Amino acid sequence: MASTSVSRVLPASPQKVWDLIGGFDALPDWLPYIPESTALEGGRVRKLANLDGDVVIERLVGFDEAERHYTYAILEAPFPVTGYLSTLRVHSVDDRDDLAEVQWSGRFTPDGVSDTEAEELFAGIYADGLDALHQALAA
């Protein structure tokens, strides 16, 4: 099993960040390469469309409002992995109420690619996503 994690400290309170990203169906609000998300099964499943028209279907498997994190599994996607499980988490920064650290991590089994290739793919997705989140918060 392979894994990767990317984090960023952002110039906003943890609650402000969570208010933007904490909804499982909220990716289009801050992630430009996911312009469409459809909630299914009472909001426990999201069907995403990216700019290329690819479809990704994900299931929410854990959610903690108080701790500001959620975990999801990919059910269907054009990625070379199986068993994908990811967590998006907002942390407080010591003695700072105007900063938040956001961590996006995942673990998965590569399928047809090396561990390194799969880890680099998702590290790039997570880094680009957190950069987009930074831009969305600055707007």
Side-chain angles (χ1 to χ4, degrees):
M1 181 161 282
S3 64
T4 191
S5 182
V6 175
S7 64
R8 296 273 189 282
V9 173
L10 302 172
S13 72
Q15 190 59 51
K16 180 177 180 180
V17 175
W18 183 248
D19 287 346
L20 179 58
I21 71 171
F24 188 56
D25 197 36
L27 288 180
D29 296 340
W30 60 275
L31 201 55
Y33 56 83
I34 301 292
E36 183 181 328
S37 178
T38 303
L40 305 169
E41 295 184 24
R44 302 280 300 170
V45 172
R46 63 186 177 194
K47 180 179 179 183
L48 309 171
N50 69 15
L51 293 172
D52 296 328
D54 296 326
V55 171
V56 178
I57 299 175
E58 300 172 336
R59 175 177 297 283
L60 183 65
V61 296
F63 184 88
D64 190 320
E65 181 78 28
E67 295 292 323
R68 298 186 188 105
H69 65 83
Y70 68 80
T71 300
Y72 63 96
I74 289 181
L75 304 179
E76 179 183 321
F79 302 127
V81 298
T82 61
Y84 178 97
L85 197 63
S86 182
T87 299
L88 191 59
R89 179 182 308 270
V90 180
H91 297 281
S92 298
V93 175
D94 290 341
D95 300 322
R96 298 288 301 263
D97 59 3
D98 61 333
L99 297 176
E101 180 182 10
V102 179
Q103 179 185 33
W104 200 347
S105 59
R107 61 182 196 264
F108 35 82
T109 301
D111 184 10
V113 298
S114 70
D115 284 9
T116 300
E117 289 170 310
E119 289 168 348
E120 288 175 354
L121 169 68
F122 287 103
I125 289 170
Y126 299 163
D128 289 348
L130 294 180
D131 289 346
L133 176 57
H134 189 176
Q135 291 176 358
L137 288 164

